[in-house]
Amino acid sequence: MYSRKIPEDLDCGIVVTMKILGGKWKACILDGINKGIKRPSELHRAIQDASPRVINMQLHELEQAGIIVKKIYQGLPLKVEYSLTDLGISLLPVIAIINKWGVENNHLVENLSGQIVG
């Protein structure tokens, strides 16, 4: 089992928030669920730049953190839907502010992408 060499500073709000939203697609997943996208296959279609495996892993992490809940409907084919918990709903204003900042400043990232050398 992995144990961190440097303990996380869970007294820092930024560390706690980034522990939840730190995955590349987590904010997009939560935004999609909030907009009515409930099924994993719908999320895969809505977030085309992310592989289904990554989306599924991040859905699992969000579920483990108590941000979303998974409901499994019996029958064939098996049907799974996700919804936000109260804790997940409390993150929506944070995601909205991140989105607003990104929309207002996307030109900065476009300018940077030509300057970054890999």
Side-chain angles (χ1 to χ4, degrees), residues 94-110:
V94 175
I95 293 169
I97 289 170
I98 291 170
N99 182 57
K100 182 177 184 240
W101 186 92
V103 168
E104 291 172 355
N105 295 287
N106 65 354
H107 62 283
L108 299 172
V109 175
E110 289 173 1

Side-chain angles (χ1 to χ4, degrees), residues 8-94:
E8 293 176 300
D9 180 8
L10 297 180
D11 291 331
C12 175
I14 295 170
V15 170
V16 173
T17 304
M18 292 311 296
K19 188 166 179 66
I20 300 300
L21 290 180
K24 184 173 182 178
W25 302 106
K26 287 181 181 176
C28 295
I29 290 168
L30 294 176
D31 185 55
I33 292 172
N34 183 51
K35 290 179 178 173
I37 300 172
K38 306 290 185 191
R39 304 198 58 206
S41 60
E42 294 170 335
L43 287 165
H44 298 159
R45 283 192 295 274
I47 309 170
Q48 295 180 2
D49 291 341
S51 74
R53 180 179 177 273
V54 169
I55 290 175
N56 291 339
M57 285 174 33
Q58 293 192 355
L59 281 166
H60 180 72
E61 290 171 11
L62 290 166
E63 183 185 11
Q64 293 297 111
I67 304 300
I68 60 174
V69 292
K70 177 181 183 179
K71 183 170 185 180
I72 301 172
Y73 295 91
Q74 296 303 317
L76 292 174
L78 195 63
K79 182 178 174 183
V80 174
E81 289 186 349
Y82 290 94
S83 59
L84 297 171
T85 64
D86 289 341
L87 189 59
I89 291 168
S90 73
L91 280 170
L92 295 177
V94 175

